[in-house]
Amino acid sequence: MQVCYKHAEKPNAKSCPFCSKDYCEDCLLLVGKRKTVICKDCYTFLSNKIKKSNIRRYIYLLLGVIWLVLILVNFSNYFLLESPNATIFILLGVGILYSITVNIIRLIQYRSWNVIESYTKTIKLEVQD
Ligand SMILES: [Zn+2]
Ligand SMILES: [Zn+2]
């Protein structure tokens, strides 16, 4: 019999796709809208990592917006004067827009990481249906 990595007395329900260890129902969680199976250790580890990266992403977003405003304000001046700097400003602007988009997508994706469900609860619900 396969047993839980943490509870030698309990049979394993599923292996965690992140650390590929076998766990019992009590050690597993379902995370996000897609209800991805994850063990509690990996959830704690990954959500801490995501929280840290989210802070960084908010700072990038803020800086990106500030940069973009500065570029747009100066861009009209440079563009009207047909300055050779206009190309640099366009490239910078495109780069910053891209970075803002990527960071917003990631922040939206990781928002569902706060939504967790107990693995056992879902199993019981499935049995009832
Ligand atoms: Zn795991
Ligand atoms: Zn367990």
Side-chain angles (χ1 to χ4, degrees), residues 36-89:
T36 311
V37 175
I38 187 169
C39 73
K40 284 177 182 172
D41 285 353
C42 284
Y43 179 73
T44 313
F45 175 74
L46 287 172
S47 46
N48 280 339
K49 229 171 119 178
I50 287 169
K51 262 178 219 157
K52 272 181 203 153
S53 74
N54 277 359
I55 293 168
R56 208 183 58 221
R57 284 181 202 286
Y58 279 119
I59 294 168
Y60 281 159
L61 271 182
L62 191 71
L63 288 176
V65 171
I66 292 168
W67 266 103
L68 205 65
V69 169
L70 285 175
I71 283 170
L72 287 174
V73 167
N74 290 309
F75 174 70
S76 55
N77 294 336
Y78 281 115
F79 193 71
L80 291 173
L81 298 169
E82 288 177 12
S83 155
N85 287 338
T87 318
I88 296 164
F89 275 94

Side-chain angles (χ1 to χ4, degrees), residues 91-106:
L91 287 175
L92 258 175
V94 169
I96 290 165
L97 269 179
Y98 174 76
S99 148
I100 288 173
T101 314
V102 168
N103 280 309
I104 288 175
I105 291 170
R106 289 278 180 273

Side-chain angles (χ1 to χ4, degrees), residues 16-21 23 38-39 41-42:
C16 167
F18 298 91
C19 59
S20 40
K21 287 169 189 159
Y23 287 99
I38 187 169
C39 73
D41 285 353
C42 284

Side-chain angles (χ1 to χ4, degrees), residues 4 6-7 10 23-24 26-27:
C4 171
K6 286 201 166 169
H7 306 96
K10 289 183 186 169
Y23 287 99
C24 70
D26 295 335
C27 292

